[in-house]
Amino acid sequence: MTPTKLLGRLVGIFVITTIVFIILYGVEKTRKTITTENRTLPLATTTDDVCFTPYCVKAANYLIESIDETVEPCEDFFHFACGTWIKNTRIPDDVSAQSPFNLLRTQLYYNVIDEADIEATGVDPILSLVNTELGGWPILQGSSWSSSTFDLSNLFLKLRKYAYNIIYRIGQSDLALGQKQYYANETNITIAYRQLIRELAMALGNDTSMIDQDVNDIFEFEKNISKYHWTDDEQRARYDETVRTTFNNLSLTFNTTFDFTDYVRRSYLLGNVTLQDTDVVAISEIEYLNNVSLILQRASPRTIQNYMVWRFILSRTSDMPQHIRIIRQRFDRIFRGTNTERPRTARCGSFVNRILGFAVSKLYIKKYFDENAFNESLEMINNIRDAFIEMLQGSTWMDVESKTKAIEKAKSIDQHIGYPDYLASDNNTKLDKDYAEYTFNSSYIRNILKLLEIFAKENFQLLRKPVDKKDWDEYSAPSVVNAFYDPSTNRISFPAGILQIPFFNKDAPKYLNYGGIGYVIGHEVTHGFDDTGRQFDKDGNRIPWWTEETIKKFNERKTCIINQYSNYTVTQIDMQADGNLTQGEDIADNGGLRGAFFAYQKWAANNKNVDKRLPGLQKYSSEQLFFINYAYNWCIKMTNAYAVNRLRIDVHSLDQFRVTGPTSNFDEFDRAFGCTPGQGNSRKDKCSVW
């Protein structure tokens, strides 16, 4: 299959008329001058050490348009580095926050789909599936819905066919509102959520005789489930409670009136996989599973049916006609702080990239990826890994045995950079095989449902596929703008999508690259030694490999990080951060910044007078610009709703704390900017794990 034919296959999936890729460094925005009316920047006495390449001019522009020199960097480095950017940035109506990182993601590709077809198709395909496969949605049928044919196991199974894990996985599933805190008290969000259920039901059906009671029952049912839902930090703290058993002993481990063993067995048959008695099963959140099973046992069939189908309907609102999406948007305005729906082009692009990432990547890398990125990234990875090993060697709290094993693990870290080799080949045999079933010629929504079926089946089939630690994971497709660490393979991954401005450019001074993608590399390396990663050895086995004394010292240092970040207040919404929730990412942020900086220092010592300064920013040293570019990548402007959601749900700290936290702990930052410990951006008692 040629790339043109491969693209044609993608086009057929969504009745797409055009796919146009827009890459940041392929988009030339109208440039502003280096100097601005309200700022006079010092000029160097000589231009010999100033970089005037097109890239340096571009980098100088975006940093000058971000820095606010009225703010003292030692007092508030985030607003020093991002203040002007924040003042001049408008949050688009369709998103709840804007940042350079988000801009990079949305500019990766753009496609146009047939909106007229979606409107013409309407909601009939969804309602047909609900009625013929799921047993109907009682809220639409009033008193005419009968529980005589209700079959809980069959309902779970039918939803699993379309990749839905509602209530159950082999562990807990998710909640519609994300976290249990949202259900604890009556708020504008819970009111809006019930209104969303009611309005969608009104829009999809005509019988309103029981709608109010059904809405309340759906909400109360989910509220009861939420009481037993484990938060992310609870899951992290109770990770040791995961039970591993064999499939034939599953019923002994999880003994409820609901036949969980039969459900799991029949689920895997959807992927033509027959479970053996000796297959190993890992069950998490058993306490949740037992309690929720009791809730299911006591609830009426109507309530269960209403809730399960409601969650399915909710997840598919974005694929329905505009009048349905408008209803959803009214809720999102309250819950997420967005004023309009995200463009269908962007949503479709995200979906295509998630489901068909490697096919999309084939086209992307052929046209846009710079091969120099691979070699330079590999060099940086090796330099930063060496810097991290030196940090390990300099550790005063690890005993010799644990330190030796930690160094062995760091040396053993594997890496994926850019894309798998087969995508660069003209031979498309592997892509043809991987996407053999991905041929569609129906309406948009029907094609979506078929994709979900394929996605579910492929997930089940993973159980019998041989494990190849060199394989690229589906979540790290080359076109993804992100980076990853996998503790089970001890591997870091940097897809091609993130190897671009402002994180990386082959023509950039190294202080910008090390402050950008270098920090990202250091962050992912450090994940191998955070509160979760440190539980896996160099081969990815989750076994004890540190001494108890070293674990104790690690936990003491980790506690310092937790307390530091828990004391941060988001003044915009007057809420405290949760250091327990974000501890793993905070450890990685702190270690990543240190590792990248030390690696850059070593590179600069061996390559004197190579890096030149940026025009208009000559007053800043290369080390200062390292930190400034690091901070720039976390500039953000957000709605209140977005900030609340991030604080409650995200394991990453809010972006301003990802700047102030690591820099305030770093002596080298103080030295670079002349800060005195005790100033706003310099802690006296610095926290350091690595």
Side-chain angles (χ1 to χ4, degrees), residues 329-386:
Q329 179 52 40
R330 283 200 288 267
F331 169 73
D332 285 343
R333 184 178 295 118
I334 295 171
F335 187 50
R336 304 186 188 283
T338 56
N339 291 320
T340 187
E341 72 170 338
R342 189 182 177 202
R344 179 171 291 278
T345 52
R347 286 187 284 109
C348 182
S350 296
F351 187 82
V352 170
N353 199 35
R354 179 164 60 88
I355 301 296
L356 301 159
F358 288 86
V360 171
S361 299
K362 172 80 175 183
L363 306 178
Y364 165 57
I365 63 174
K366 187 175 183 66
K367 189 169 184 179
Y368 296 107
F369 188 65
D370 187 336
E371 288 300 325
N372 290 313
F374 178 87
N375 293 329
E376 291 199 30
S377 298
L378 181 59
E379 178 185 345
M380 292 178 69
I381 288 172
N382 290 332
N383 291 345
I384 292 166
R385 188 206 324 261
D386 289 344

Side-chain angles (χ1 to χ4, degrees), residues 2 9 34 38 68 74 166 238 245 260 264 290 294 302 309 339 423 515 531 548 575 580 588 622 677:
T2 66
R9 176 170 287 178
I34 294 295
N38 62 347
D68 182 355
C74 292
I166 300 172
R238 300 163 75 175
T245 186
F260 200 70
V264 173
N290 285 323
L294 289 175
R302 183 182 185 93
V309 176
N339 291 320
L423 288 184
D531 62 315
E548 288 299 322
M575 284 182 64
N580 279 300
S622 59

Side-chain angles (χ1 to χ4, degrees), residues 367-430:
K367 189 169 184 179
Y368 296 107
F369 188 65
D370 187 336
E371 288 300 325
N372 290 313
F374 178 87
N375 293 329
E376 291 199 30
S377 298
L378 181 59
E379 178 185 345
M380 292 178 69
I381 288 172
N382 290 332
N383 291 345
I384 292 166
R385 188 206 324 261
D386 289 344
F388 189 82
I389 289 172
E390 290 183 13
M391 289 159 59
L392 288 172
Q393 291 170 333
S395 167
T396 58
W397 54 272
M398 299 184 80
D399 57 49
V400 174
E401 178 185 348
S402 301
K403 184 183 294 187
T404 300
K405 291 181 178 178
I407 292 171
E408 288 176 356
K409 178 175 180 177
K411 290 179 177 179
S412 299
I413 293 176
D414 191 16
Q415 65 268 330
H416 280 166
I417 304 172
Y419 54 86
D421 292 341
Y422 72 86
L423 288 184
S425 170
D426 291 332
N427 185 335
N428 294 309
T429 303
K430 179 169 173 52

Side-chain angles (χ1 to χ4, degrees), residues 447-504:
N447 288 331
I448 289 285
L449 294 171
K450 186 171 183 180
L451 269 173
L452 292 172
E453 283 191 73
I454 293 172
F455 191 55
K457 185 165 66 173
E458 289 178 342
N459 273 341
F460 289 127
Q461 292 172 346
L462 287 175
L463 181 66
R464 296 289 183 244
K465 286 187 176 181
V467 176
D468 184 352
K469 291 190 176 183
K470 297 296 182 181
D471 275 352
W472 280 65
D473 297 309
E474 290 298 323
Y475 62 76
S476 57
S479 49
V480 169
V481 182
N482 213 329
F484 309 92
Y485 172 75
D486 180 1
S488 65
T489 58
N490 194 26
R491 182 177 62 227
I492 52 180
S493 299
F494 305 98
I498 199 171
L499 296 174
Q500 53 182 310
I501 297 172
F503 289 101
F504 173 85

Side-chain angles (χ1 to χ4, degrees), residues 492-538:
I492 52 180
S493 299
F494 305 98
I498 199 171
L499 296 174
Q500 53 182 310
I501 297 172
F503 289 101
F504 173 85
N505 185 271
K506 66 181 179 62
D507 297 322
K510 289 295 190 293
Y511 52 77
L512 295 183
N513 279 348
Y514 274 90
I517 197 65
Y519 148 75
V520 177
I521 293 169
H523 176 97
E524 300 307 332
V525 168
T526 309
H527 266 316
F529 305 86
D530 67 10
D531 62 315
T532 298
R534 65 106 187 145
Q535 299 178 47
F536 294 79
D537 69 6
K538 66 182 181 64

Side-chain angles (χ1 to χ4, degrees), residues 110-152:
Y110 184 93
N111 51 75
V112 183
I113 66 174
D114 192 343
E115 183 78 27
D117 175 72
I118 294 170
E119 293 298 321
T121 302
V123 298
D124 288 346
I126 290 290
L127 294 181
S128 176
L129 186 149
V130 167
N131 291 325
T132 59
E133 294 195 49
L134 303 184
W137 195 17
I139 198 171
L140 302 184
Q141 299 165 256
S143 59
S144 65
W145 184 83
S146 173
S147 63
S148 61
T149 58
F150 176 75
D151 186 330
L152 181 59

